[in-house]
Amino acid sequence: MQSVRLLLADRNRHVREFLKRELETEGYTVAIARSAQEILTVLGGGEKFDLLILDLEVPYVFEADLLTQLQTFYPHLPVLIHSFQPENPQTLASLHHAVFLEKDENPVRLKETVAVLLQTKAAGRGQQV
Amino acid sequence: MWKRLSLQSRVFLLLGGLMLTALGGGLVTVWHTDAIDSLVTDLIDQNVASYRAAERLESALLRQKGYVTYFSLDQDPEWLNRLAEHHQNFLHWLERAKASANTPFLNDLLDAIGNAYQDYRQGREQVIAFYQQGHKTAGAEMHRQLRRQFNDLFLLCDRYKLIHEQRIAEAKAVSRFQAKVITHTALVLITGIAVMGLLLGYTLIKQILGPIRDLLRESNPAGLAEAPLDEVQALSQKVHTLREDVDLAQSQLKRSQVTLVQSEKLAMVGKLAAGVAHSIRNPLTSVKMRLYSMRRHLNLTPEQQEDLEVISQEIRQIDAIVRNFLEYSRPPKLKIQQISPSTVVDWAITLLRPRLESFQVTVTVQRRQMLPEIWADPDQLKEVLVNLMVNACEAMGKNGQITITEEEDFLAGIGRVVQIRLQDTGPGIPPAIQDKIFQPFFSAKEEGTGLGLSIAARIMEEHGGSIRVHSRPGQGATFILTLPLRKIKHGNHLNS
């Protein structure tokens, strides 16, 4: 069986690497991206991903209107927003097709949420979360 | 020209004119009356004396008539004596007349009378002599001629008298004319005074009393029904009140300017703090993650364990500061709902139970009944109470006591309010810093961010309420939270 592929985008290099390491211990294959452009480049590279873990502070997320683009071009890719509580509550409202998890130091909750999302995806192919 | 004069000049001019006219009129009248009086008196004195003299002269002449005839009849010398008497009388009055005669014409006339009388008298003496000597016929003949002479003389005297009558009539006419002049002058003056008086009155009413009334009406539209007796006094009171109002408004303006400057400064500082906090949060999270990871895997000596623990604690403190900064600069929107503040008090105590127990602090709630429901954000209100209680715990140390008193009150200017007092048994807050504790970034605590109380104050303000502190050193501190008891939903926050 092919391993589960995750794309992880975070602003902070050390956070990226830490989370990659943590998630890899769970058996996932983790690719990383540093900006909105990189996410789109990686996604457009032909490889298939099962989940995108996205930090909203990644550069150009809003400038490139990343979330709309994702929904348009990759409607079957679940998105997990792993971020600080946004300053503007409306930001959260606009992310209705994504799942939000507040970032903290404990990676256990991230792992749990990722597992739940992957299960949901496996159960109802193509269904939005 | 008139329009260009100031009101004061106009009133003074009119008043001056009025006074001058009245005064001048009075003086002229008095002077004229006096002049006429002396004139008339003079004329009358002179002419009446002359007239009397003329009359007596004429009468003395007439009385001499007949005696010579009587004498011719009975030769009685008594008639001659009587005649001599009247002769003396005539001479006397002729002298008097001469004395009072004041024109050459009258003098000439009197001279003529004197000469004619002289002639007549000589003739009469002749006639008497004829009669005494018994020449009756010659005497009678001469006597007849003498009568003609007498008639001429009488006519002269009569003329003299008529002249005086005429002069008196003239004097009368003169005085009547003068009186008329005075009357006319007086009429003109009265008209002038009346016109100026009316003008003055008009000016006073139209330009002083009217405007004063209008001002009063404008300044006091409610009190139209009761017009004040002394408008000027009322107005001066109004002006006084107005000036006080202006002073008040000015000081309020100054105060609000100060507040504005302060809040602008705070907004700047807040932005700065938020920026800093935001930037710090990212690497801080990374540190926290690595620390978490480390603690999972490391087998540490107790010393190393302690070091790590301290690092964790300090990082948590930094995290708390960063969160406070962010919250302070980006206050969450109030989620208003109807709730009894008593419920929020209970929640806060429940939430803090573990902390209170670790500090061994007892909390007493003095409550007669649940406070009425108000419009408030329970979470924010809870944060205020939690903040205050945590502060109290940290200030008191072990074995402290917190008393929470809930009550309803009525405050002038606000209306019905609910008040929650939190009283602790700590060291109290020095008076010098009581004003500052609600300012952001002011902290007297070792690990304070200086934002807890300022956030509490802002939350209270957003609820339309307030927070105050009352403390005397050594006697604990009492924080008083006041919230308005509103019937309608209301938030003071811009976004609510």
Side-chain angles (χ1 to χ4, degrees):
Chain A
M1 185 188 147
Q2 212 186 347
S3 79
V4 176
R5 296 178 63 83
L6 307 179
L7 178 56
L8 173 72
D10 198 285
R11 186 190 187 90
N12 186 309
R13 179 161 58 94
H14 296 115
V15 173
R16 279 198 304 268
E17 281 162 5
F18 175 71
L19 292 177
K20 180 175 152 71
R21 196 177 77 192
E22 288 292 323
L23 289 166
E24 277 171 352
T25 59
E26 299 292 311
Y28 304 122
T29 306
V30 182
I32 55 175
R34 287 173 297 183
S35 69
Q37 287 97 323
E38 259 190 47
I39 292 170
L40 292 171
T41 313
V42 171
L43 286 176
E47 282 179 289
K48 221 164 150 39
F49 287 92
D50 298 291
L51 180 67
L52 170 64
I53 300 168
L54 174 68
D55 171 17
L56 289 178
E57 286 179 31
V58 159
Y60 310 116
V61 165
F62 296 101
E63 289 83 347
D65 206 0
L66 178 73
L67 288 157
T68 314
Q69 288 206 47
L70 287 176
Q71 208 181 8
T72 311
F73 300 113
Y74 309 97
H76 303 301
L77 176 68
V79 179
L80 171 59
I81 308 282
H82 184 238
S83 200
F84 295 120
Q85 196 77 32
E87 292 144 22
N88 189 349
Q90 279 172 343
T91 313
L92 263 190
S94 72
L95 306 178
H96 53 86
H97 60 282
V99 169
F100 180 83
L101 176 68
E102 189 170 1
K103 197 190 271 186
D104 68 7
E105 71 264 35
N106 190 342
V108 174
R109 286 186 59 206
L110 176 67
K111 289 175 187 172
E112 283 170 6
T113 313
V114 167
V116 168
L117 283 173
L118 289 172
Q119 264 175 19
T120 316
K121 193 188 176 217
R125 285 253 147 226
Q127 202 180 326
Q128 290 291 320
V129 253
Chain B
M1 167 74 181
W2 181 249
K3 293 262 175 199
R4 270 201 309 223
L5 285 175
S6 74
L7 184 61
Q8 188 181 324
S9 313
R10 280 189 235 177
V11 170
F12 278 0
L13 223 71
L14 282 170
L15 204 63
L18 203 64
M19 275 170 65
L20 274 179
T21 314
L23 210 68
L27 282 173
V28 166
T29 310
V30 167
W31 175 68
H32 250 282
T33 311
D34 200 49
I36 288 179
D37 188 48
S38 64
L39 184 79
V40 170
T41 314
D42 276 5
L43 274 174
I44 286 176
D45 279 358
Q46 274 183 21
N47 288 305
V48 167
S50 303
Y51 179 73
R52 261 180 66 205
E55 221 176 24
R56 290 292 173 86
L57 194 68
E58 196 183 47
S59 140
L61 186 67
L62 275 176
R63 290 216 172 178
Q64 292 180 30
K65 206 177 167 186
Y67 288 115
V68 178
T69 312
Y70 305 148
F71 181 72
S72 71
L73 293 177
D74 60 5
Q75 304 289 319
D76 188 349
E78 179 56 29
W79 300 117
L80 295 182
N81 287 343
R82 293 256 190 104
L83 189 64
E85 198 180 302
H86 289 301
H87 164 67
Q88 285 306 322
N89 218 352
F90 182 86
L91 287 179
H92 168 73
W93 284 111
L94 189 63
E95 282 309 307
R96 289 281 291 272
K98 275 186 175 163
S100 66
N102 49 5
T103 63
F105 173 71
L106 284 177
N107 275 324
D108 289 350
L109 191 58
L110 284 174
D111 283 344
I113 291 172
N115 292 335
Y117 183 72
Q118 212 58 41
D119 289 350
Y120 164 71
R121 194 173 160 261
Q122 276 172 8
R124 198 173 56 188
E125 292 301 317
Q126 198 91 49
V127 170
I128 291 168
F130 277 133
Y131 284 139
Q132 279 172 335
Q133 289 157 13
H135 305 299
K136 274 203 173 182
T137 322
E141 179 59 27
M142 204 167 172
H143 196 175
R144 213 178 298 124
Q145 281 174 12
L146 201 63
R147 282 203 186 96
R148 218 181 301 119
Q149 234 179 321
F150 180 86
N151 275 339
D152 290 347
L153 184 60
F154 176 75
L155 280 175
L156 275 176
C157 283
D158 202 42
R159 194 171 156 209
Y160 181 71
K161 196 183 86 177
L162 278 173
I163 284 170
H164 281 94
E165 272 179 3
Q166 203 182 340
R167 288 193 63 176
I168 285 172
E170 275 171 12
K172 246 189 199 165
V174 166
S175 81
R176 199 168 291 152
F177 175 75
Q178 293 275 22
K180 233 178 211 168
V181 168
I182 288 178
T183 311
H184 281 134
T185 315
L187 276 175
V188 168
L189 287 175
I190 284 166
T191 317
I193 287 168
V195 167
M196 268 191 271
L198 283 174
L199 222 74
L200 183 66
Y202 178 81
T203 309
L204 282 176
I205 288 168
K206 198 79 186 169
Q207 297 189 311
I208 297 174
L209 290 177
I212 285 174
R213 246 172 215 283
D214 288 350
L215 273 177
L216 264 183
R217 205 171 303 149
E218 273 170 33
S219 62
N220 189 19
L224 267 182
E226 27 145 357
L229 281 179
D230 188 342
E231 279 102 339
V232 175
Q233 204 188 354
L235 194 69
S236 88
Q237 262 170 5
K238 274 269 140 40
V239 169
H240 190 70
T241 319
L242 209 63
R243 214 173 43 200
E244 279 175 355
D245 285 354
V246 168
D247 286 349
L248 194 71
Q250 209 167 21
S251 65
Q252 275 173 349
L253 191 68
K254 255 182 204 159
R255 232 179 299 145
S256 64
Q257 268 173 341
V258 169
T259 317
L260 192 68
V261 169
Q262 191 105 5
S263 59
E264 271 175 2
K265 253 194 235 167
L266 287 184
M268 281 273 288
V269 172
K271 255 184 211 166
L272 188 70
V276 171
H278 193 90
S279 308
I280 289 174
R281 194 166 56 162
N282 205 305
L284 190 65
T285 312
S286 181
V287 170
K288 276 156 71 184
M289 284 171 171
R290 299 298 170 140
L291 204 61
Y292 179 87
S293 168
M294 252 169 100
R295 293 174 71 166
R296 261 191 323 194
H297 306 298
L298 284 179
N299 271 326
L300 299 170
T301 65
E303 259 181 28
Q304 285 171 325
Q305 185 70 40
E306 197 199 315
D307 291 350
L308 197 63
E309 194 53 46
V310 168
I311 293 172
S312 304
Q313 268 182 29
E314 296 295 24
I315 283 174
R316 269 202 296 278
Q317 172 67 10
I318 295 173
D319 200 40
I321 293 171
V322 166
R323 273 175 203 283
N324 267 340
F325 272 33
L326 284 171
E327 187 183 340
Y328 180 76
S329 56
R330 301 198 186 90
K333 200 171 149 185
L334 290 188
K335 295 189 187 82
I336 293 275
Q337 67 184 74
Q338 274 210 305
I339 188 152
S340 164
S342 300
T343 312
V344 183
V345 169
D346 292 343
W347 286 353
I349 293 170
T350 309
L351 187 76
L352 280 179
R353 187 70 65 198
R355 180 101 59 123
L356 293 168
E357 275 165 9
S358 75
F359 274 97
Q360 292 169 9
V361 166
T362 52
V363 178
T364 322
V365 178
Q366 295 196 330
R367 174 188 296 161
R368 254 167 288 165
Q369 62 192 56
M370 294 290 276
L371 287 172
E373 288 193 344
I374 62 165
W375 286 102
D377 181 334
D379 285 335
Q380 300 273 305
L381 218 51
K382 190 175 71 191
E383 192 181 331
V384 174
L385 289 162
V386 166
N387 243 324
L388 292 177
M389 282 198 272
V390 169
N391 278 353
C393 287
E394 285 171 355
M396 293 187 293
K398 301 258 172 199
N399 296 318
Q401 200 168 7
I402 297 175
T403 311
I404 300 177
T405 312
E406 300 176 358
E407 57 193 17
E408 270 187 75
D409 205 346
F410 186 89
L411 293 184
I414 301 174
R416 282 178 69 200
V417 294
V418 297
Q419 280 195 334
I420 304 170
R421 296 160 185 272
L422 274 101
Q423 193 177 3
D424 65 34
T425 52
I429 299 164
I433 66 164
Q434 280 183 19
D435 287 344
K436 295 183 188 162
I437 57 171
F438 297 111
Q439 291 175 7
F441 310 118
F442 178 85
S443 181
K445 290 195 298 185
E446 212 174 304
E447 294 184 342
T449 59
L451 288 170
L453 282 178
S454 72
I455 288 172
R458 196 185 48 212
I459 290 170
M460 294 310 290
E461 262 172 43
E462 282 172 358
H463 281 86
S466 66
I467 181 167
R468 280 178 297 138
V469 68
H470 182 78
S471 175
R472 255 180 283 173
Q475 293 179 18
T478 306
F479 283 87
I480 303 150
L481 304 178
T482 307
L483 286 160
L485 198 59
R486 289 203 179 96
K487 291 265 183 337
I488 48 158
K489 189 173 173 176
H490 172 86
N492 209 17
H493 193 266
L494 284 176
N495 298 326
S496 62

